[in-house]
Amino acid sequence: ACRSAVPLRHPLRGLLMREKIAAEIPHLRRFARGLARDRAIADDLVQDCIERALAREHLYDPSRSLRSWLFTILRNVFLNDVRSRRVRADAAQEYASLAAPFAAVEPQHHSVHIQQILRAMDALPTEHREVLLLVAVEGFSYQEAARVVGVPAGTIMSRLARAREQLRAIAVEGPRSQIRRVK
């Protein structure tokens, strides 16, 4: 009899992997919402990420953090989505779709502060925002964030410092006005 070249997987390994991936969904959703700034787009990103992870679970290296692996997949899905949007739409339509608010305004007092922070984060360039989300929100080390983003750890530290400085400037000065004084 002829044996298949594809190794058989143990059924418990797939089940354990699915449970571990399911435990990461809240983290993936938070990161996706921070990147996409739109709840529906973020949910689609997470779904695509999970589908890809399950289809390629044989590529997962157990010596690596599962969360880092999933965040790398999610980031790549996001970047691919942004690239495909640019091909299909002009720059103004792209900006409008990515600039939509990702959370409804709540009537509580703390909601105002949260909305100010979110607006300030929206003003950051994507590469600064993603590093801030990975390190400050998700608790990734510089090395883990560097693996997710695909840059050296020093670049992560530099981007994080610039992102924090920009947030401080916005908090102190407020958003910069686009109106220039003419003499």
Side-chain angles (χ1 to χ4, degrees), residues 12-178:
L12 286 180
R13 180 167 188 239
L15 181 62
L16 289 173
M17 183 68 151
R18 283 172 174 70
E19 288 175 1
K20 288 179 179 181
I21 290 173
E24 296 298 331
I25 290 175
H27 303 285
L28 291 169
R29 290 182 82 195
R30 185 172 47 220
F31 184 54
R33 286 180 180 170
L35 289 175
R37 296 173 286 191
D38 180 276
R39 182 171 276 162
I41 293 172
D43 288 344
D44 289 344
L45 289 172
V46 171
Q47 181 176 345
D48 290 346
C49 170
I50 292 169
E51 286 175 8
R52 289 183 189 194
L54 292 174
R56 295 169 178 87
E57 72 179 273
H58 62 281
L59 299 175
Y60 170 65
D61 178 5
S63 68
R64 184 175 177 198
S65 162
L66 177 64
R67 185 175 294 172
S68 293
W69 185 65
L70 291 170
F71 274 54
T72 302
I73 293 171
L74 181 82
R75 180 178 180 270
N76 290 337
V77 169
F78 171 73
L79 293 175
N80 290 340
D81 187 52
V82 169
R83 286 184 199 113
S84 68
R85 285 175 190 262
R86 285 188 181 141
V87 169
R88 288 178 284 160
D90 65 322
Q93 291 172 338
E94 172 66 15
Y95 178 76
S97 69
L98 291 177
F102 77 77
V105 177
E106 298 175 16
Q108 295 92 5
H109 295 306
H110 70 278
S111 173
V112 173
H113 183 64
I114 290 171
Q115 290 300 317
Q116 290 171 338
I117 292 170
L118 292 175
R119 277 193 298 276
M121 285 186 66
D122 283 348
L124 296 175
T126 302
E127 50 278 344
H128 293 167
R129 189 174 58 255
E130 73 183 356
V131 168
L132 190 65
L133 289 166
L134 288 170
V135 176
V137 176
E138 295 300 332
F140 278 58
S141 69
Y142 296 140
Q143 290 74 22
E144 289 172 323
R147 281 192 296 271
V148 169
V149 176
V151 297
T155 303
I156 294 295
M157 291 186 280
S158 175
R159 287 181 184 176
L160 183 61
R162 281 184 265 149
R164 288 176 173 161
E165 184 56 39
Q166 287 176 342
L167 285 178
R168 269 189 227 106
I170 291 170
V172 171
E173 301 168 7
R176 290 188 176 172
S177 173
Q178 297 299 320

